[in-house]
Amino acid sequence: MEAFEDVLGGVGMVDPVVDDGDDRIIVRPVSTKGEAKKARRLLIQEIADMGRATFPKDWINADDRFGPTLVGAFLDDRLVGAALVGPAQEYAAALSATCRGVWPSRLLDDALQLVGTEIAETPGVAVVPDHRGEGIGLRLKRYCDLWAAQHGTYLMFSRPTNKAARRLNEKAGHKVLEGDVSFVTQIIDAQDRPLTGVVRIDPARDGSFQAVRQLTVADGLMRRFRVGQYPAVSRMDGTDDDHAIRVGSGQIAWYEWDRSGTVRTVLVPAPRLEHDVSMGLRHVSMRS
Ligand SMILES: CC(C)(COP(=O)(O)OP(=O)(O)OC[C@H]1O[C@@H](n2cnc3c(N)ncnc32)[C@H](O)[C@@H]1OP(=O)(O)O)[C@@H](O)C(=O)NCCC(=O)NCCS
């Protein structure tokens, strides 16, 4: 417990309790098939592409294991918001599809095993329209982070698809990438030495950006994923300095979180990027 409290408890970043919201709202995993169906329906109705997410097979995660889990926000027993959280399956699938046959299979298996235990994903958060702007989305988001941390994961990925979701992620302490940069990952050892090449995920399309947050401290992990962006500088950050853009285009910015949950970036020269792991790629190949 201590390890994740170090990061999640820091500077008001993740507090599963309402800040100033309505304390009649209760956020918890769904506990009946009926609740699960309503939560799923809300997510699919409100978020494009949600239909292809992996929902819990048995509707309810009765054993509270690290698997796809539907979370609900309830007001007087009425579902007013929902989220889906679980292992980073979409990322694992993209990594597998792209690196299979390129990386030695043992390395890929190892990487996928690491994804399966270290990385969580929140494929969607939605609030019913007449209860938006009341802090419910933020509570759901924070609940998902806390749930993932309690289930031993180190990183949380999500894909905010609009401005409200971007702000929501930032408010919950996530680093949200601008649309003109790529998400990059690499496996490193306990001494921060690279164990794999840098894997690039294409800039998301259709205004769908990447967001990431470190949930727990990394102490004691022999190998872990680090995450960052390439190029290091985004025009959409408001940079209109061409020199900065030129210099940034040769660099990766790795994100590093301190124990208070604050993220900073560490700039390193970009090596030749080894693979493009595009979330889109998988969908293209599924259609063809
Ligand atoms: C995104 C969504 C879940 C936010 O839920 P919500 O309960 O309204 O959000 P909250 O009231 O908790 O707001 C939290 C923060 O998000 C940001 N935010 C929420 N709605 C926003 C909007 N319309 N525009 C800009 N920022 C917004 C704000 O920064 C807000 O904090 P602040 O008011 O203190 O500045 C909700 O708008 C929604 O269900 N949208 C449709 C589904 C969707 O697009 N989901 C996200 C894709 S994964």
Side-chain angles (χ1 to χ4, degrees), residues 100-115:
R100 195 165 297 285
V102 183
W103 280 3
S105 56
R106 269 186 63 183
L107 177 63
L108 180 59
D109 290 349
D110 231 35
L112 291 173
Q113 204 175 341
L114 270 189
V115 175

Side-chain angles (χ1 to χ4, degrees), residues 74-145:
F74 298 89
L75 171 63
D76 300 332
D77 287 337
R78 185 166 74 90
L79 185 95
V80 290
L84 178 63
V85 62
Q89 292 181 343
E90 201 171 342
Y91 178 69
L95 191 69
S96 169
T98 309
C99 294
R100 195 165 297 285
V102 183
W103 280 3
S105 56
R106 269 186 63 183
L107 177 63
L108 180 59
D109 290 349
D110 231 35
L112 291 173
Q113 204 175 341
L114 270 189
V115 175
T117 54
E118 283 190 11
I119 308 182
E121 189 172 77
T122 303
V125 178
V127 173
V128 296
D130 56 337
H131 281 284
R132 289 188 188 158
E134 297 174 8
I136 298 172
L138 189 58
R139 284 191 60 189
L140 282 161
K141 181 78 195 164
R142 287 174 167 174
Y143 186 94
C144 292
D145 286 350

Side-chain angles (χ1 to χ4, degrees), residues 46-47 123-127 132-138 161-162 164-165 167-168 171:
E46 296 296 335
I47 304 170
V125 178
V127 173
R132 289 188 188 158
E134 297 174 8
I136 298 172
L138 189 58
T161 49
N162 55 45
R167 275 297 299 142
L168 175 71
K171 199 101 202 253

